[in-house]
Amino acid sequence: MGDFVRLGALPDAARVERMLGRSQDGAGHGLSPRELEVLRLVAAGKSNREIAAALVISEHTVARHVQNIFGKLRVSSRAAATAFAFEHDLV
């Protein structure tokens, strides 16, 4: 990240940190790096089956991640989670 800062590219540095799940400023909203991956795929309109295939995990595990995401973000639907993700630059 140091090179980004020296070049004056702080927004880019923050985006990279978020993508790596290493945000220091709470931008991940309590989500684990894997939950952020799942949220991004949910926001892209992917089904649990498609997410499971993309991440090479079971559909049951995806469903658990989705429920954890809902709880941590305090939302009750995929649409609300997607809106939250876009509003908070998580995608």
Side-chain angles (χ1 to χ4, degrees), residues 19-87:
M19 290 172 65
L20 294 173
R22 295 190 311 218
S23 178
Q24 301 289 320
D25 61 1
H29 299 276
L31 300 178
S32 72
R34 180 60 105 182
E35 289 167 343
L36 284 168
E37 284 181 293
V38 171
L39 177 58
R40 288 178 181 121
L41 291 169
V42 166
K46 303 296 183 188
S47 68
N48 283 6
R49 179 171 288 175
E50 292 169 319
I51 294 169
L55 299 179
V56 192
I57 57 178
S58 74
E59 285 184 62
H60 177 80
T61 301
V62 173
R64 171 53 69 191
H65 284 312
V66 170
Q67 289 306 309
N68 290 341
I69 291 164
F70 287 1
K72 289 179 180 182
L73 300 184
R74 296 188 177 125
V75 298
S76 59
S77 69
R78 293 170 89 90
T82 297
F84 185 98
F86 279 97
E87 289 168 5

